[in-house]
Amino acid sequence: MSDSEQALPVPDEASATAPSGPVSSLAAAVELARAAAVDVAGDPTAVGEHRGTSTETVVSDLPDVPAEALGQLLTHHFAASLPGYVGWTWAVTLAGAPGGEPTLDEVVLLPGDEALLAPEWVPWQERLRPGDLSVGDVLPSTEDDDRLVPAYLVDDDAADDPAARAVATEIGLGRERVLSPRGRSQAVARWLTGDFGPDSPMARQAPGRCGTCGFFLPLAGVLRQSIGACSNAYAPADGRVVPVEYGCGAHSQATLVDSGGAPAEVVHTARYDTADFDVI
């Protein structure tokens, strides 16, 4: 067996001399190796100059058969002249049985130190970025998405039981999966550091915080004390998720009081027009 299926080192010019001993016949079969590379490439011009040879290790899978009895392996290297394969080489491995003629083992293209390589493959769920989803796209969630957990907690295989799935639907209010603690923490972290977070320029200049605003709609569940939605049509965050620490100039309790020529002062209190009704 041969380990030549792995990336082979490309020899330098000094190693192009033919080895002596049992592999000498393999080293002399340069034209046989070139013909094999040309046959795979489909174009004689795609196979360039001969760049030397490298000896492969022969390994026996049978305990009673020594590796020496299997023969020798030698790889010939040729420059690749294919468009887009700068720095690659054709690696043609020849096999030589004891007392036999050289035969072809395999032909592969191998990258060198200066070869152009494709970027490392990244799974699609790791390549996605916010905003990538467009109209008509479908984004399936994986079974191992750590942002989601079943709507019920069990230690067995009840998820495959139709009756158990019905319970999950009931507890999850129509959802089989709900946000996990990790999913919630990730969402809150995004909202706190986004454009509507407590450290945004708008929030730093606001007369009050969303948590004390009448237009603030708290979320249900464990996030009720920290996250909600804005319902003020005139606020920049209308219809958006905002932390209770966020704020803007459209706070429901903010009024301007004329201070006699000086800049108007913001007062955090409500004012009511009592002209049309009596106060008792």
Side-chain angles (χ1 to χ4, degrees):
M1 302 297 292
S2 168
D3 61 357
S4 59
E5 294 181 356
Q6 301 177 354
L8 301 176
V10 179
D12 53 28
E13 296 298 333
S15 65
T17 57
S20 59
V23 296
S24 59
S25 61
L26 297 178
V30 176
E31 293 308 316
L32 173 63
R34 179 182 293 277
V38 169
D39 182 63
V40 173
D43 183 1
T45 62
V47 182
E49 63 180 355
H50 186 249
R51 291 188 171 177
T53 61
S54 59
T55 304
E56 307 299 329
T57 302
V58 179
V59 180
S60 175
D61 292 335
L62 302 175
D64 56 342
V65 178
E68 295 77 10
L70 299 178
Q72 302 290 336
L73 289 173
L74 187 75
T75 298
H76 289 265
H77 301 273
F78 301 89
S81 303
L82 292 169
Y85 285 83
V86 177
W88 289 65
T89 61
W90 291 101
V92 182
T93 302
L94 301 180
E101 296 294 327
T103 57
L104 178 64
D105 184 29
E106 66 175 356
V107 180
V108 294
L109 266 174
L110 294 179
D113 293 337
E114 300 180 357
L116 298 176
L117 301 176
E120 183 179 355
W121 184 80
V122 179
W124 64 266
Q125 61 267 32
E126 298 180 17
R127 297 195 304 267
L128 285 173
R129 293 294 180 268
D132 287 349
L133 196 67
S134 59
V135 177
D137 292 340
V138 176
L139 178 59
S141 60
T142 59
E143 291 296 329
D144 59 350
D145 192 332
D146 59 3
R147 299 172 302 171
L148 297 170
V149 293
Y152 61 105
L153 299 177
V154 292
D155 295 326
D156 53 25
D157 58 353
D160 297 328
D161 183 3
R165 293 173 69 91
V167 173
T169 301
E170 178 66 24
I171 297 177
L173 299 179
R175 299 173 295 167
E176 291 190 10
R177 293 196 289 179
V178 295
L179 273 177
S180 67
R182 180 180 177 85
R184 289 196 296 269
S185 64
Q186 289 179 346
V188 172
R190 287 196 310 273
W191 297 334
L192 290 176
T193 58
D195 294 338
F196 300 100
D199 295 327
S200 63
M202 178 68 74
R204 290 198 297 267
Q205 301 296 324
R209 299 305 180 193
C210 289
T212 59
C213 180
F215 296 104
F216 180 74
L217 300 174
L219 292 184
V222 296
L223 298 180
R224 179 180 180 84
Q225 301 299 321
S226 57
I227 301 295
C230 177
S231 64
N232 191 337
Y234 303 105
D238 178 42
R240 297 179 180 272
V241 174
V242 291
V244 295
E245 296 88 355
Y246 179 72
C248 69
H251 194 284
S252 64
Q253 301 305 103
T255 58
L256 292 177
V257 177
D258 188 1
S259 55
E265 179 183 359
V266 176
V267 178
H268 303 166
T269 183
R271 289 193 164 199
Y272 301 95
D273 183 2
T274 61
D276 296 330
F277 58 91
D278 295 331
V279 177
I280 302 177

